[in-house]
Amino acid sequence: MKTWIFYPPLKAMSGGCMVLLQIARQLHVLGRLGGILYWDEPPGGAECAGLPWVRASTADMATGDTYVVPEGWPNALVPGLKRGCRTLVYCQNWSYLFHGLEAGVHWRDLPVEFLAVSDPVAWHMEQVLGRRPQVIRPALDMALFHPPASKPGGLMRIGFMPRKNKALAEQIRRIFEERNPRVKVEWVPIHGLDRPGVAGVLRSCHVFLVTGFPEGCPLPPLEAMACGCLCVGFTGFGGWDYMRQIEPDGYAPHGYAPRDVPWGGNGWWSADGDVLGAALGLERAVQALSLNLDIPARMARTVGAYGSDAQKCEIVAALSESANNGHTIR
């Protein structure tokens, strides 16, 4: 039995597409990958090399094979369903669960199963669909994202990604500067860089401001932790897979109880859109830089849980679990 993965026809590689390729490579090494399906033209780039790309219309899928389709592309389910494959919808962002699904069409009426990218997404799907899917998390490239020998001297550097709610990032900056006129920092936009470039900039920063939401299991904060940055900002809800409050009275999600983890508080997290809360978190991060706290050790434990080996175990367990334990939603 083989597993096939549908790769969406996007102009640029998203974080979700990168995770699909991670899963494909894991299955390829395990000898369980049938191919990666595309509509018209396979994508180019080094990230896509060395994998079996197959036009969807010519894929030799068979009854009993597994077919994985990311959420947001319900039309891509058809080849697997026609061939009698066990068809799984991989939800990588809770907010896109119904994206592309026509009005009047319900997931409960389709012969599909589900996977989730994180525990918060799995919880959300359980509330909506009635069953809790198995989880396959992203894997960090720890050879690329790692701490420097030392952080640069001089002004404290705060990294942020302008493509993630740029206007809110600007509000947070203005609030921070208004409240802290004597604190001089350097704001470092991270934009238009390849992954090695992103890693290099993160290693040069002391703090990373997280402004993205909604999120399924956001990688940039994990990458920042891996590069030794203290992290502050929004969770996107999906970030609660690994985000834990340093402050004992900090913001907590409503209704969702985060899973037990061994690393403890690893950032100053605020509700999505709470610009004042994020600015106050920045103040606490600045103060923490001058104290001998064990936050870097907690970040390292967090990062260590998101390696390639952990992802491989989740892939094997999730696909087997979906096949054997009746997670189909009809």
Side-chain angles (χ1 to χ4, degrees):
M1 301 298 180
K2 296 291 185 179
T3 296
W4 306 76
I5 297 174
F6 176 75
Y7 190 90
L10 301 177
K11 293 182 179 179
M13 182 177 295
S14 65
C17 288
M18 186 185 69
V19 175
L20 291 176
L21 292 181
Q22 288 180 347
I23 295 173
R25 290 194 182 280
Q26 297 271 26
L27 290 169
H28 195 42
V29 171
L30 292 169
R32 296 174 60 174
L33 180 65
I36 308 176
L37 274 55
Y38 62 90
W39 283 141
D40 299 315
E41 295 291 336
E47 302 92 344
C48 303
L51 290 168
W53 293 88
V54 181
R55 188 183 297 272
S57 60
T58 64
D60 189 23
M61 293 188 285
T63 300
D65 283 355
T66 298
Y67 179 44
V68 178
V69 177
E71 97 290 327
W73 301 91
N75 289 343
L77 297 170
V78 174
L81 296 176
K82 281 186 174 180
R83 291 170 175 82
C85 295
R86 183 166 54 92
T87 303
L88 294 88
V89 176
Y90 182 33
C91 186
Q92 295 175 291
N93 193 319
W94 57 271
S95 69
Y96 296 154
L97 179 58
F98 293 99
H99 185 75
L101 201 64
E102 293 186 6
V105 178
H106 303 280
W107 283 122
R108 63 176 178 267
D109 299 325
L110 300 179
V112 298
E113 304 172 41
F114 289 86
L115 297 171
V117 76
S118 67
D119 190 71
V121 172
W123 177 87
H124 175 83
M125 295 171 74
E126 182 181 20
Q127 309 312 305
V128 175
L129 303 175
R131 300 284 182 89
R132 194 181 189 97
Q134 292 295 302
V135 174
I136 299 177
R137 295 175 174 86
L140 276 175
D141 184 347
M142 297 184 186
L144 183 59
F145 294 95
H146 57 81
S150 62
K151 292 288 183 177
L155 293 179
M156 186 186 74
R157 291 166 57 88
I158 301 176
F160 69 101
M161 293 184 169
R163 67 183 177 87
K164 299 279 190 177
N165 296 310
K166 181 179 181 180
L168 295 184
E170 175 65 10
Q171 286 193 54
I172 294 167
R173 182 183 71 82
R174 294 295 297 268
I175 293 170
F176 178 86
E177 291 177 345
E178 193 74 23
R179 285 174 51 89
N180 301 275
R182 293 184 177 84
V183 178
K184 304 301 180 184
V185 302
E186 181 179 355
W187 300 88
V188 183
I190 304 173
H191 181 69
L193 302 174
D194 58 12
R195 289 176 60 73
V198 171
V201 173
L202 285 174
R203 277 191 286 275
S204 76
C205 291
H206 303 87
V207 176
F208 181 66
L209 173 62
V210 186
T211 55
F213 68 88
E215 299 282 0
C217 189
L219 271 173
L222 273 175
E223 293 167 348
M225 288 186 196
C227 292
C229 299
L230 300 185
C231 287
V232 176
F234 308 151
T235 71
F237 185 62
W240 288 112
D241 196 75
Y242 60 85
M243 294 175 178
R244 296 296 182 270
Q245 289 286 15
I246 289 175
E247 305 289 344
D249 58 347
Y251 160 74
H254 176 72
Y256 169 70
R259 65 193 175 109
D260 291 335
V261 293
W263 47 81
N266 53 19
W268 292 266
W269 310 112
S270 55
D272 296 344
D274 181 3
V275 293
L276 178 57
L280 296 176
L282 279 178
E283 292 180 2
R284 295 186 177 101
V286 170
Q287 295 166 2
L289 286 171
S290 63
L291 302 174
N292 187 23
L293 303 179
D294 65 346
I295 299 171
R298 298 179 210 167
M299 295 193 306
R301 290 195 292 271
T302 306
V303 169
Y306 288 80
S308 180
D309 289 344
Q311 185 190 59
K312 179 171 66 176
C313 291
E314 289 182 341
I315 290 170
V316 173
L319 295 180
S320 300
E321 187 80 6
S322 295
N324 298 327
N325 287 351
H327 281 260
T328 302
I329 300 174
R330 299 186 186 277

